[in-house]
Amino acid sequence: MIPFLELKSRFRAIEPEVRSAIDRVLDRGWYVLGEEVQHFEREFADWLGVEHVVGVASGTDAIHLALRALGVGPGDEVITVANTCVPTVTAIEAAGARPVLVDATPDTLTMDPDGVASAITPKTRALVPVHLYGHPCDMDALMPIAEEHGLMVVEDCAQAHGARYRGRPCGTFGHAAAFSFYPSKNLGAYGDAGAVATGDSKIAERLRRLRSYGQEDRYRHVERGVNSRLDELQAAILRAELPHLDAWNQSRRMLAERYDRLLEGLPARRPAKAQRADSSWHLYVVRTQHRDALRTHLKARGVGTEIHYPIPVHLQPACAHLGYSRGHFPVAERAAGEIVSLPLYPELAPDDVDIVVHAIGAFQP
Ligand SMILES: *Cc1c(COP(=O)(O)O)cnc(C)c1O
């Protein structure tokens, strides 16, 4: 049996560190926005190479609050990509702005810069590129478009902890970057958690207010905020994990390269990466004809798979009011019918990759 994802082995590998982190919090008796959160914010900022990190309750809130902190709100349009998961769009709407979608490029399945250029209107205020699967977007093409039109850029880094573009970490290109620490992400809490990274101290300051009911100091509320705080237990667990993140990402890379090599010549190939992009390999996604039959075949051999994502956001009932329909984003629509994510996590054995690929090789449509 090779499950699609197995989180318990991650815990077992660092169990003493996690247990002592949890004990530290319990012994202290301070549970929300305390010492652990402060330390984690500093340590994650240092790891990423940014000035400021502000912990929040989820990746969705990180996108939402980053947009608000940058002054994006009602009446504004925010461009993102149809090939993402729903929370990217939910977050834009939570900020009060209107999501405008563009298609992905057929080779990489990430945000199409030409699509962005033609979606810009006088109301466009911001761009949310999504480094999907951990594959960086074509930032050399996107950033000049944003600069030319004076757009704010919030990178959706929920799958991109450790991804690099031209050697520079994803999350350091835009005005702000949103990270999710949902348990399955490359850096995963034991519950919901997220953070915004930014180089701008004013933005960071505003984020600290927004996450805590708009409070500037105790019981003095200067703007309408939300409750989106990072708790001490999650921050302590994330601190225990952070020193292992580079090694975990290295393990993902090694396994992904093994998939690349072994899948050569088989009719299941991953999308290309943008030029100069180093993935964080959050997911190993391949495209294939007869996707559903292949999944059934793999399941019968004990190999778990998932689809990220089976319905492009513009065809989700929750997004119907945006006014898009089938045919609007052919690249994202076609990909949704062909993609399948194979098992990939740091604790996966290289032999397991061989078994998965062998099972794919034995598939007869
Ligand atoms: C997980 C994810 C989110 C949302 O993060 P949560 O922590 O679940 O709110 C947003 N965008 C992308 C691309 C994601 O993978």
Side-chain angles (χ1 to χ4, degrees):
M1 289 296 283
I2 304 176
F4 172 70
L5 179 62
E6 214 279 275
L7 289 176
K8 205 143 77 178
S9 52
R10 199 188 287 187
F11 166 61
R12 291 291 177 218
I14 58 165
E15 180 169 349
E17 287 140 276
V18 171
R19 289 200 186 276
S20 82
I22 291 172
D23 277 345
R24 208 164 59 225
V25 174
L26 299 184
D27 286 337
R28 202 182 287 125
W30 183 281
Y31 301 113
V32 172
L33 291 186
E35 225 171 283
E36 300 293 333
V37 170
Q38 264 171 31
H39 284 301
F40 173 68
E41 289 177 340
R42 189 68 262 141
E43 288 158 11
F44 192 65
D46 290 345
W47 176 84
L48 186 61
V50 291
E51 281 299 308
H52 309 280
V53 163
V54 179
V56 295
S58 71
T60 310
D61 282 356
I63 302 169
H64 159 204
L65 297 178
L67 286 168
R68 279 194 60 192
L70 289 165
V72 176
D76 296 334
E77 292 177 358
V78 176
I79 298 175
T80 192
V81 63
N83 190 33
T84 184
C85 50
V86 163
T88 313
V89 173
T90 306
I92 293 168
E93 293 198 299
R98 178 182 166 74
V100 172
L101 302 177
V102 300
D103 211 347
T105 55
D107 54 342
T108 66
L109 298 185
T110 55
M111 180 178 255
D112 177 14
D114 293 335
V116 171
S118 51
I120 292 172
T121 75
K123 290 184 174 173
T124 309
R125 280 293 307 283
L127 193 60
V128 180
V130 183
H131 305 302
L132 197 71
Y133 314 144
H135 297 344
C137 296
D138 183 353
M139 300 309 279
D140 273 355
L142 291 171
M143 291 309 291
I145 298 172
E147 275 152 33
E148 186 189 334
H149 296 271
L151 306 181
M152 297 289 140
V153 176
V154 175
E155 295 172 73
D156 182 341
C157 289
Q159 304 188 358
H161 321 65
R164 284 171 179 265
Y165 181 85
R166 273 189 184 281
R168 180 172 159 184
C170 288
T172 65
F173 288 86
H175 299 85
F179 287 85
S180 165
F181 308 117
Y182 180 74
S184 67
K185 310 288 177 167
N186 289 37
L187 182 65
Y190 291 5
D192 277 308
V196 182
T198 180
D200 186 326
S201 58
K202 286 267 177 297
I203 301 303
E205 210 175 293
R206 187 155 183 212
L207 281 161
R208 290 181 202 286
R209 287 204 303 265
L210 288 170
R211 73 175 169 185
S212 191
Y213 331 119
Q215 179 169 265
E216 189 147 87
D217 35 49
R218 205 164 162 79
Y219 304 132
R220 208 169 64 82
H221 303 259
V222 296
E223 66 177 320
R224 185 172 55 85
V226 297
N227 175 355
S228 180
R229 299 173 299 215
L230 181 56
D231 73 69
E232 289 282 285
L233 282 169
Q234 299 307 339
I237 291 164
L238 290 167
R239 290 184 71 200
E241 290 186 344
L242 186 58
H244 301 279
L245 180 55
D246 287 333
W248 289 342
N249 281 343
Q250 181 55 33
S251 173
R252 287 176 184 273
R253 180 169 306 116
M254 196 196 71
L255 295 164
E257 283 168 0
R258 193 175 186 93
Y259 270 126
D260 280 356
R261 205 165 56 241
L262 297 176
L263 284 168
E264 198 100 41
L266 291 179
R269 305 286 296 157
R270 68 163 170 79
K273 284 179 283 139
Q275 298 278 319
R276 303 173 291 272
D278 290 313
S279 182
S280 61
W281 297 111
H282 175 60
L283 295 168
Y284 193 91
V285 173
V286 293
R287 297 184 75 158
T288 180
Q289 307 295 318
H290 316 289
R291 186 265 317 275
D292 295 335
L294 175 62
R295 287 192 76 201
T296 308
H297 165 89
L298 291 175
K299 189 173 176 202
R301 278 160 184 73
V303 176
T305 59
E306 294 287 344
I307 303 172
H308 299 90
Y309 297 90
I311 306 172
V313 286
H314 68 290
L315 301 179
Q316 294 281 359
C319 300
H321 60 282
L322 297 179
Y324 299 108
S325 52
R326 193 166 289 282
H328 262 111
F329 304 114
V331 173
E333 289 167 26
R334 179 157 171 222
E338 298 179 352
I339 48 176
V340 54
S341 308
L342 305 178
L344 178 72
Y345 37 94
E347 302 77 17
L348 187 71
D351 285 352
D352 289 340
V353 172
D354 299 22
I355 292 167
V356 173
V357 176
H358 190 78
I360 294 172
F363 173 61
Q364 308 271 349

